[in-house]
Amino acid sequence: MLTGLHIAVIGGDARQLEVIRKLIELDAKLSLIGFDQLDHGFTGASKEQLNEVDFTTVSAIILPVPGTNMEGQVDTIFSNEKIVLTEEIVKNTPEHCTIYSGITNPYLNQLVASTNRKLVQLFERDDVAIYNAIPTVEGTIMMVIQHTDITIHNSKVAVLGLGRVGMSVARTFSALGAKVRVGARKSEHIARIFEMGVTPFYLNELSSNVSDVDVCINTIPHQIVTSDVISKMPAHTLIIDLASKPGGTDFRYAEKRGIKALLAPGLPGIVAPKTAGQIVAKVLAQLLKEEMEGRKGN
Ligand code: NAP
């Protein structure tokens, strides 16, 4: 339980509601900032303005998945108010206060450095990334169905990258009956791809592995689907780029060649916001418990 632990939840989208639900269940004391237009009232949590919160008792600040923007502004879909997480606010918190965010940026890094607070990036964690791969794959399937006129079954699918997302994408498309090949650069990944029962190839041979693909799914956050690679694809190939912005595809060239290439960020929050929120909530609850027990132990 998190009884008595004062937590400030600042901004977010539908995913954050699952976090709030979980923390209430664990009996934390919640200050909700940026939720004034949320119809749903949470018993045991108070909606507050940023300047009303007593940050001197806040042990954890929970930001939405994107954290802040480069000016410290926190996005919220539940308020029109401009919310900015400033150095002054964070300095007011107790020294042990931890900031939790999905990802970080130079603003947040600088903020925690100058205030000497800890920042936890939830999306850096293997467990969160692996759980998140599940709704990401489901969203990818949705996009492929929407943007092709063939079945996934028996289609030729190239997956680029064998990380947490790439592995799940390859396995699921293969289970749906697609003829999957996966590109990687490490020999141990090539071995794993072989073990998975799909076809491996080295990424330095990417150009010669796309001449018959129906769908190319990129998970590598570097320019990999270059103009040279795209020029070898059949005109009907669909490129789905899952890698974080700006993706790994030469979108300008794809458009010029008339090949449909779609950057598809944030699929978990789009196709399964409840599950995506529960994934974050589960890990966050565990981390907060550990943190609280650690402090009690000391
Ligand atoms: P990951 O586990 O780090 O996997 C990344 C893969 O890219 C690894 O196989 C890595 O291979 C490869 N790679 C990285 N740099 C490379 C390079 N320069 N050349 C060749 N291969 C390279 O990451 P992940 O969790 O699978 O996530 C993949 C991407 O999807 C990230 O950008 C993530 O932000 C994004 N993502 C998007 C969604 C969405 O909804 N669209 C959802 C979740 C994640 P090595 O091991 O050889 O480095």
Side-chain angles (χ1 to χ4, degrees):
M1 298 298 280
L2 299 173
T3 306
L5 194 75
H6 188 187
I7 301 171
V9 181
I10 308 183
D13 53 26
R15 287 175 281 186
Q16 214 67 325
L17 303 183
E18 295 304 316
V19 171
I20 295 169
R21 256 182 218 117
K22 181 78 184 169
L23 297 179
I24 289 175
E25 192 186 301
L26 293 170
D27 201 25
K29 179 186 171 199
L30 295 190
S31 294
L32 308 181
I33 301 120
F35 291 89
D36 48 278
Q37 287 174 3
L38 178 69
D39 290 337
H40 187 73
F42 283 106
T43 325
S46 59
K47 294 177 188 169
E48 294 171 41
Q49 302 285 321
L50 198 57
N51 58 9
E52 291 168 354
V53 181
D54 178 9
F55 276 95
T56 61
T57 60
V58 168
S59 291
I61 294 176
I62 298 177
L63 298 175
V65 170
T68 68
N69 71 9
M70 290 301 290
E71 282 79 46
Q73 194 175 332
V74 183
D75 270 350
T76 172
I77 62 163
F78 303 108
S79 173
N80 290 330
E81 239 187 287
K82 186 175 174 185
I83 301 163
V84 180
L85 186 67
T86 62
E87 192 176 306
E88 197 189 342
I89 291 171
V90 179
K91 265 189 183 155
N92 258 324
T93 61
E95 270 176 23
H96 67 260
C97 178
T98 303
I99 300 176
Y100 296 87
S101 173
I103 55 174
T104 188
N105 62 19
Y107 179 90
L108 259 185
N109 290 341
Q110 160 64 28
L111 184 70
V112 290
S114 64
T115 53
N116 202 20
R117 297 295 183 270
K118 194 169 129 195
L119 174 70
V120 175
Q121 292 178 65
L122 295 167
F123 277 37
E124 283 260 294
R125 294 173 55 92
D126 251 349
D127 49 5
V128 173
I130 293 169
Y131 287 129
N132 239 335
I134 301 167
T136 305
V137 172
E138 292 192 10
T140 309
I141 294 168
M142 175 190 78
M143 292 195 71
V144 172
I145 291 172
Q146 277 173 346
H147 294 280
T148 58
D149 52 8
I150 56 171
T151 54
I152 290 174
H153 183 271
N154 213 34
S155 63
K156 295 189 180 74
V157 177
V159 179
L160 310 183
L162 191 75
R164 293 151 310 186
V165 175
M167 186 178 284
S168 298
V169 169
R171 196 187 294 114
T172 311
F173 275 79
S174 176
L176 287 172
K179 296 188 172 105
V180 176
R181 68 193 73 159
V182 184
R185 60 179 172 179
K186 291 182 182 151
S187 64
E188 62 267 35
H189 283 173
I190 296 291
R192 176 61 67 197
I193 295 161
F194 173 77
E195 177 274 329
M196 286 164 67
V198 294
T199 308
F201 67 89
Y202 278 100
L203 281 168
N204 55 12
E205 290 163 5
L206 177 56
S207 293
S208 53
N209 274 281
V210 294
S211 60
D212 60 347
V213 286
D214 300 306
V215 182
C216 175
I217 301 168
N218 177 48
T219 73
I220 299 174
H222 286 277
Q223 274 290 314
I224 188 102
V225 189
T226 59
S227 53
D228 177 53
V229 173
I230 296 169
S231 71
K232 305 288 189 319
M233 290 175 175
H236 74 272
T237 304
L238 169 69
I239 303 170
I240 305 274
D241 200 331
L242 298 177
S244 51
K245 282 180 192 166
T249 303
D250 187 338
F251 289 98
R252 186 202 61 83
Y253 182 77
E255 191 179 355
K256 195 172 164 196
R257 249 215 83 196
I259 286 199
K260 197 185 271 184
L262 306 168
L263 185 63
L267 287 175
I270 296 168
V271 297
K274 194 177 173 81
T275 310
Q278 285 167 344
I279 290 167
V280 173
K282 189 171 148 189
V283 175
L284 201 48
Q286 186 60 35
L287 291 176
L288 288 165
K289 273 188 216 168
E290 284 169 13
E291 173 83 23
M292 197 171 159
E293 279 157 18
R295 260 188 298 122
K296 271 186 194 158
N298 289 335

